[in-house]
Amino acid sequence: MGQKIKYFVYALIPAIMLNIIQAFALVLVTVYSFMEQLSKTGLPSDDPMAVSSYVLAAMNGVMNNQRIEIVLSLYLMLALIVELIVGYFVFKQKSLKGNIKNINLQAVGGITLSIIGLGITTNFILNIVYEVFPNAMEKYNDMMQQLGIGDDFSMITIICAVIGAPIVEEICFRGFTLKLFEKSFNNFLVANICQALLFGIVHGNIIQGTYAFCIGMVLGYIRKRYDSIYASILGHLLFNFFGTVITTLVSGLGMGFSSIIAIFAGAAVFVLGMYLMRTKEKTSVSL
């Protein structure tokens, strides 16, 4: 029992580590912005309230202009470096290894279809969430616009969201956390639910948390099915690409779809993708 509790606690550490690194990146860029502003204007007085107002102005400046891109880039680079160091010295790279030969053309097809189907389904499920939590959805949309993901693409943010985040988050959640939860529970299903739930919680809001839990469950299965972190990274990359670039482009074209039809169509594509992943390809073509 003691060992299981130990592994459960250890499973929480990677997610906590990511949040600390994210906060550290934000503080660094905020301090830089604050010092830059001081060098230009200086403090108007020695009044502590004036200092605090300058600090708040620097923080708002970071969150409301292109410096959020610097925060994201710095966070992802630092997180990846820390994860690789931890993976090498603590996990001896066992959680990061996987047989890439398991990812054949049928696997790629199955992963792609399941992710596209899940993306379609969750996108329209969010319409239902919007009806239940309209304020949460508005805050979520504002946050996406602030990050540069919306009508006007920020290429740096798109690269971070589509490439950087999948690599960092897969190493954390499907590389370290899932393995540790499996050691704690000795049951993959329970471990997968726990890591997906944690993945949803760390996103910090009901909108992202909803689809993060759904995709976390699927990515956990993909990681287990192909015994490869590369497979889940591919799935995560496709999901983020669909959710950021493709969805925005389609909505920009003004294409309207029935939510019910879209949910069923997405579910059908998802099931087909899962079927392809569950069956073995007769003629294996390894990547």
Side-chain angles (χ1 to χ4, degrees):
M1 180 63 71
Q3 283 290 98
K4 291 185 176 182
I5 294 175
K6 181 183 74 173
Y7 284 125
F8 181 87
V9 173
Y10 284 171
L12 303 177
I13 293 177
I16 295 172
M17 177 186 68
L18 283 190
N19 280 276
I20 293 173
I21 295 172
Q22 188 176 41
F24 179 68
L26 179 60
V27 168
L28 281 182
V29 178
T30 300
V31 169
Y32 174 80
S33 298
F34 178 64
M35 297 303 294
E36 184 181 48
Q37 185 155 343
L38 278 183
S39 67
K40 292 179 180 179
T41 62
L43 286 174
S45 70
D46 294 330
D47 184 2
M49 294 301 295
V51 176
S52 63
S53 65
Y54 261 50
V55 173
L56 289 175
M59 293 180 65
N60 290 331
V62 169
M63 296 305 295
N64 290 292
N65 62 29
Q66 292 182 344
R67 287 203 172 149
I68 191 64
E69 299 172 349
I70 301 175
V71 175
L72 288 172
S73 302
L74 181 61
Y75 155 64
L76 291 172
M77 286 189 292
L78 290 175
L80 183 58
I81 291 170
V82 171
E83 287 177 337
L84 292 177
I85 292 173
V86 171
Y88 184 81
F89 288 104
V90 179
F91 291 90
K92 307 302 181 184
Q93 293 184 326
K94 291 180 180 179
S95 294
L96 306 182
K97 287 183 178 179
N99 189 356
I100 198 168
K101 292 182 179 180
N102 293 341
I103 311 174
N104 51 41
L105 291 180
Q106 181 173 319
V108 172
I111 292 171
T112 302
L113 287 176
S114 64
I115 294 301
I116 290 175
L118 182 65
I120 294 171
T121 305
T122 54
N123 187 57
F124 286 93
I125 287 176
L126 288 180
N127 291 333
I128 300 173
V129 176
Y130 174 76
E131 297 297 328
V132 180
F133 304 102
N135 292 333
M137 196 66 184
E138 288 175 8
K139 290 180 180 178
Y140 168 75
N141 289 331
D142 290 342
M143 181 184 67
M144 291 294 103
Q145 291 291 340
Q146 188 180 78
L147 291 174
I149 303 173
D151 297 332
D152 297 319
F153 283 172
S154 166
M155 287 309 300
I156 295 178
T157 307
I158 292 297
I159 291 171
C160 288
V162 174
I163 299 176
I167 294 173
V168 167
E169 292 176 351
E170 287 312 302
I171 293 175
C172 176
F173 290 95
R174 265 61 68 179
F176 301 148
T177 301
L178 178 58
K179 290 290 184 181
L180 290 167
F181 274 138
E182 280 191 275
K183 288 184 178 181
S184 177
F185 295 107
N186 291 324
N187 183 297
F188 170 73
L189 179 59
V190 176
N192 199 33
I193 292 172
C194 286
Q195 66 83 17
L197 183 61
L198 182 62
F199 186 52
I201 291 172
V202 298
H203 279 77
N205 61 77
I206 187 67
I207 304 302
Q208 284 181 298
T210 298
Y211 65 70
F213 173 78
C214 296
I215 188 63
M217 287 288 293
V218 176
L219 292 174
Y221 170 78
I222 291 173
R223 171 72 173 86
K224 184 73 172 180
R225 170 67 180 83
Y226 295 107
D227 188 30
S228 175
I229 196 70
Y230 306 117
S232 62
I233 288 175
L234 172 63
H236 199 153
L237 187 152
L238 289 170
F239 185 83
N240 282 18
F241 179 73
F242 181 88
T244 56
V245 179
I246 300 301
T247 301
T248 303
L249 290 175
V250 170
S251 62
L253 294 174
M255 298 174 65
F257 300 94
S258 167
S259 295
I260 300 298
I261 293 175
I263 289 174
F264 277 103
V269 173
F270 174 76
V271 170
L272 176 60
M274 294 296 288
Y275 173 77
L276 288 177
M277 283 195 287
R278 287 183 64 86
T279 58
K280 292 185 177 181
E281 187 178 38
K282 293 181 180 180
T283 304
S284 177
V285 182
S286 299
L287 297 180

